[in-house]
Amino acid sequence: MIYILAALLPPIGLLLNGQPFSAILNLVVIVICVIFGLIFPILFLVPSAHALIAVHMKREDRRHREVVDAIRQHGPPPGYPR
């Protein structure tokens, strides 16, 4: 759901994902893309792409932290080389 929101309303998707600085940067990118998008229409996709990549990276970071915390709490998995 957050990916759909990030694709359609990038700054709001980033804010709801807990990334206020990325949302501000995305607003700046939107303004720049609106100005230059009249010449290069493909630029209208840049803010959405930025939001999707930022949301994905944040979710992967959270998942990585969960795995690291589980390893710290329970130890490495059986058969893990040391």
Side-chain angles (χ1 to χ4, degrees):
M1 185 69 176
I2 192 74
Y3 287 107
I4 295 171
L5 190 61
L8 298 177
L9 299 169
I12 294 173
L14 288 169
L15 279 175
L16 291 178
N17 198 43
Q19 298 173 290
F21 296 115
S22 291
I24 293 169
L25 175 67
N26 198 283
L27 282 172
V28 172
V29 170
I30 287 174
V31 170
I32 292 170
C33 288
V34 165
I35 292 170
F36 292 111
L38 300 173
I39 300 169
F40 306 107
I42 193 77
L43 290 178
F44 289 123
L45 299 175
V46 172
S48 293
H50 167 256
L52 289 170
I53 291 168
V55 166
H56 179 73
M57 288 176 59
K58 178 88 172 200
R59 291 173 76 85
E60 287 296 317
D61 186 48
R62 286 181 195 148
R63 187 175 302 141
H64 177 74
R65 281 196 197 128
E66 288 175 3
V67 169
V68 169
D69 289 342
I71 290 173
R72 284 186 182 148
Q73 184 178 5
H74 302 290
Y80 185 77
R82 288 188 173 219

